[in-house]
Amino acid sequence: MPANLDTDLLRAFVAVADSASFTRAGERLGRTQAAVSQQVRRLEDMVGKRVFERDTHGVRMTRDGEVLLAYARRMLTLNDEVMALMRRGPTVASVRIGTPDDYATMLLPEVLARFNAAYPEVMVEVVCDNSPDLVAEIEKGRYDLALVTRKAGEDGGELVRREPVSWVAPPLDAAPPQDSPSGHRPVESLDPLPLALFPKGCVVRDLAVAALDGMGRDWRVAFTSKSVVAVHGAVMGGLGVTAMEACTVPPTLRRIGPAEGFPDLPDVDIALHRARGTAPKPVRLLADAIHDLVGGQRLGHRKPGPRRPGGLPAALAILLACAGTLPTTPPARAQSPVAIGAPLTGEVVLNRDIEVRIGPSEDARIVMTLKQGKALNALGTPRGTFWTEVAIGGQPIGYVPADSLDPALMVTGRPAVGGEGPRPPKPGSPAQPADTAPSHRSAAVVPRAAWDKAAQTPAEGYVVAAGPIAATELLTNRKRRGFTLRKGDVVALIGAANGEATLALPAGTRALAPVQGLVGVVAPYPLPGMPPVEPGMLYGIKLGEYVSYAEGSRAWKEFTAGPGTAYRDLPPMVWPVFRKGKLLYEVGVAPFTRLQVDTACGTLAQRGLDCTVIELDTF
């Protein structure tokens, strides 16, 4: 009879793998270091393999441990999903709501999260389409509710709120493609004006082109899609400007208006339609929640309700429900590296409709079906298989055939994987030597191995040398020894004053070094639970700045207990910065690619958080 793996042992194993420390794993699990170590040994005895190598420098996973880790995560996820499903009350009702993709992405997630927390027994289905079609369909009784856009003052439906409409352009520092006909001119200055729009029938599209026609400005449609994420990406990529409701503009894009020569746009109404007849109570409750939260414009100003264990986050559930609304035209594709034996990782798209399975096998259970063109994160391909684990929004969803994935290409034709890459220096700016110039960025991510070595020393943050730095080691016999921190060396920070940092070295001694050239470390990579990253420009999200490490740590705990619950299992991201002779601590989340950070910032902005995107150094 085959042996059964104990989920408690697997949970201890995953905790050690994520924290790279038996002590920190014990703190996370509420157990002693000795108890966690004993559980891991029992697991090793059960599987007959060593899963960790232990030495004086810390804990390192073996190859067998890496194989087990992927299966352990899926087993624990499935275990928690089943337990949550069995413990929750029965689903007694359902509500079907239709809405455009931009409202589903930018307005509804928090509404549904709070509604779900208050009424967990009600199942909500979201279907995305354009407003005119939704109004026609609700008249036929195919939806219970429809949240749509109409021209201001028009009849039909219940007014939820009046919303201003904005012209939106790429950020001023967005680098245009090398072959762009605009050169370095802002896209909004081109003639004819390129537009990135929703399809015909969209109310905001009609208002935008009517306003341009009214002022006699020539325009052309450069990009069209039903997906708000696709339109955001097209504008960010410099394909054109767009017009959209103010509540759907992400913080990474730039609003423009009369100062840039664009006409003011009239407001629109966000309206709620109900199916004919007497609505069941769950439908009335959801309609009231929409009026209260969207109509009261309180989204993001109250703490979201408690997160239900085992369920998909509301934003992810909407993303899956709207998967079929992406453009039906196949995206630009390059030959898949899988075809020549190189498994993909990073941002990918499906090259055909596909069934996602819970394990890397044709016999594994099907968990969902995704459409061709769906954007995913490829996490890796287990040895000896032709199946790749994929994720949406950083959350693993299962496995798909490796040959169903192609590299994600931005609409400009530049690879999306790894972000935009470093921008070229401005003309006339002096070139910096590669190994000696200190970084101009205030934060960095470092390889996991370098982080693990430094993290053996408790400290108030960690720093990395951006180039060679002359330092002084303070020996135990009161003597001093000069040495050089090499580029990429990661060390623990004890404090800083008068332009000099006090460091804790792995050997147990302390050292002094000038703060110039030291960069605060946000996180190591790869980082469990975060989207995979590739070489190239990486970004982070800065949420706040504090005068001490203790205050920063408290802010991180409050963030992960509230709007940042998706990051609660990660180590605290509190890093030091040296500014005008002062030591401060910033709090945020990283690393992301450009596209990933835009998505994450949009989600946090919906929850009322200021979101500052920062560029990261990588070593």
Side-chain angles (χ1 to χ4, degrees):
M1 183 175 178
N4 295 316
L5 290 173
D6 187 331
T7 54
D8 282 341
L9 304 185
L10 292 177
R11 210 173 293 277
F13 163 62
V14 171
V16 175
D18 287 348
S19 59
S21 164
F22 283 91
T23 301
R24 288 195 291 271
E27 293 171 353
R28 175 175 164 181
L29 297 172
R31 298 172 184 159
T32 64
Q33 181 268 343
V36 173
S37 181
Q38 185 179 19
Q39 286 185 305
V40 171
R41 286 196 181 92
R42 285 175 55 197
L43 179 63
E44 290 177 327
D45 291 341
M46 181 173 289
V47 300
K49 303 283 187 181
R50 290 185 64 83
V51 295
F52 292 115
E53 294 289 351
R54 307 164 179 83
D55 56 33
T56 56
H57 299 292
V59 179
R60 186 175 66 256
M61 198 177 305
T62 65
R63 180 166 295 182
D64 290 322
E66 292 174 352
V67 173
L68 178 61
L69 182 62
Y71 287 95
R73 290 192 194 281
R74 293 202 303 278
M75 291 175 68
L76 292 175
T77 298
L78 188 59
N79 174 84
D80 296 345
E81 180 182 327
V82 170
M83 293 303 296
L85 184 65
M86 293 296 102
R87 289 174 177 172
R88 76 182 185 186
T91 298
V92 298
S94 64
V95 180
R96 196 164 193 251
I97 180 171
T99 193
D101 183 74
D102 49 352
Y103 292 166
T105 304
M106 308 298 283
L107 281 182
L108 279 187
E110 190 166 347
V111 174
L112 296 185
R114 297 183 185 182
F115 183 80
N116 179 258
Y119 307 102
E121 71 282 0
V122 179
M123 184 188 76
V124 179
E125 179 185 359
V126 178
V127 180
C128 299
D129 207 340
N130 60 49
S131 292
D133 289 345
L134 289 170
V135 172
E137 292 298 306
I138 200 169
E139 292 294 325
K140 300 175 184 177
R142 295 184 180 175
Y143 302 111
D144 298 304
L145 298 169
L147 186 66
V148 301
T149 306
R150 71 184 187 194
K151 292 182 179 179
E154 275 191 348
D155 294 330
E158 307 161 9
L159 176 63
V160 176
R161 84 177 187 213
R162 187 150 291 175
E163 185 72 13
V165 178
S166 301
W167 291 104
V168 182
L172 286 173
D173 61 349
Q178 293 181 355
D179 57 352
S180 171
S182 66
H184 293 285
R185 293 173 57 196
V187 67
E188 64 267 23
S189 68
L190 299 182
D191 188 21
L193 176 69
L195 298 176
L197 300 172
F198 289 95
K200 290 182 179 179
C202 169
V203 173
V204 173
R205 172 185 171 132
D206 293 344
L207 294 175
V209 298
L212 292 174
D213 289 341
M215 68 179 299
R217 181 160 185 182
D218 292 335
W219 54 271
R220 65 180 180 87
V221 177
F223 180 90
T224 183
S225 173
K226 283 186 178 181
S227 166
V228 68
V229 175
V231 173
H232 288 168
V235 176
M236 178 62 72
L239 266 72
V241 302
T242 191
M244 55 181 57
E245 298 92 331
C247 63
T248 65
V249 180
T252 50
L253 297 180
R254 177 170 55 100
R255 302 188 192 201
I256 55 177
E260 291 80 13
F262 281 74
D264 287 325
L265 294 171
D267 295 345
V268 295
D269 288 346
I270 300 177
L272 184 67
H273 289 252
R274 306 183 192 226
R276 293 178 180 177
T278 303
K281 183 177 179 180
V283 175
R284 299 197 304 272
L285 290 172
L286 181 56
D288 290 344
I290 291 172
H291 273 290
D292 180 38
L293 296 173
V294 179
Q297 302 191 43
R298 289 197 290 270
L299 286 179
H301 296 286
R302 290 186 290 180
K303 289 187 177 181
R307 182 178 177 180
R308 290 175 58 211
L312 284 173
L316 179 57
I318 292 173
L319 187 62
L320 296 179
C322 296
T325 69
L326 293 174
T328 55
T329 304
R333 287 171 50 189
Q335 182 184 9
S336 172
V338 175
I340 55 175
L344 284 172
T345 57
E347 295 171 17
V348 293
V349 292
L350 287 172
N351 56 38
R352 61 181 185 269
D353 293 355
I354 206 69
E355 294 171 336
V356 182
R357 298 181 182 271
I358 197 168
S361 166
E362 191 72 39
D363 299 327
R365 177 171 62 87
I366 298 171
V367 294
M368 67 181 70
T369 300
L370 296 178
K371 297 287 188 180
Q372 176 183 343
K374 180 65 181 172
L376 303 167
N377 286 117
L379 304 182
T381 302
R383 290 177 179 272
T385 77
F386 297 98
W387 294 80
T388 298
E389 187 176 18
V390 293
I392 295 177
Q395 178 164 335
I397 59 172
Y399 290 81
V400 299
D403 63 359
S404 68
L405 301 174
D406 282 343
L409 299 181
M410 291 180 63
V411 288
T412 57
R414 293 178 292 164
V417 176
E420 298 173 347
R423 296 193 178 98
K426 295 180 179 179
S429 62
Q432 293 184 339
D435 292 328
T436 59
S439 170
H440 68 282
R441 301 186 182 95
S442 62
V445 290
V446 297
R448 183 93 214 179
W451 168 273
D452 289 344
K453 183 178 179 181
Q456 299 300 314
T457 305
E460 295 194 346
Y462 299 88
V463 292
V464 59
I469 299 175
T472 303
E473 183 179 11
L474 306 178
L475 303 175
T476 54
N477 55 4
R478 296 189 178 183
K479 292 184 178 180
R480 299 190 174 201
R481 180 183 67 87
F483 72 102
T484 300
L485 284 172
R486 297 167 299 178
K487 179 179 179 180
D489 281 349
V490 181
V491 288
L493 177 69
I494 302 300
N498 301 320
E500 193 170 53
T502 302
L503 310 173
L505 302 180
T509 57
R510 296 194 175 188
L512 301 176
V515 298
Q516 185 71 22
L518 293 176
V519 182
V521 177
V522 178
Y525 64 90
L527 189 61
M530 291 288 285
V533 294
E534 297 290 333
M537 180 65 74
L538 296 180
Y539 299 82
I541 296 171
K542 174 186 169 183
L543 299 171
E545 188 174 271
Y546 301 87
V547 297
S548 70
Y549 183 82
E551 288 190 13
S553 297
R554 281 196 295 271
W556 171 264
K557 289 179 181 178
E558 291 175 2
F559 167 64
T560 54
T565 53
Y567 308 108
R568 61 187 171 190
D569 292 332
L570 298 178
M573 293 194 186
V574 183
W575 65 93
V577 292
F578 306 105
R579 189 168 293 120
K580 295 182 179 180
K582 292 184 178 180
L583 172 60
L584 301 172
Y585 289 88
E586 294 181 346
V587 176
V589 191
F592 297 100
T593 65
R594 179 79 244 188
L595 297 181
Q596 290 165 349
V597 79
D598 290 346
T599 301
C601 260
T603 301
L604 294 176
Q606 293 171 30
R607 299 175 182 178
L609 292 178
D610 292 331
C611 186
T612 302
V613 177
I614 59 174
E615 293 181 347
L616 300 175
D617 268 334
T618 56
F619 293 87

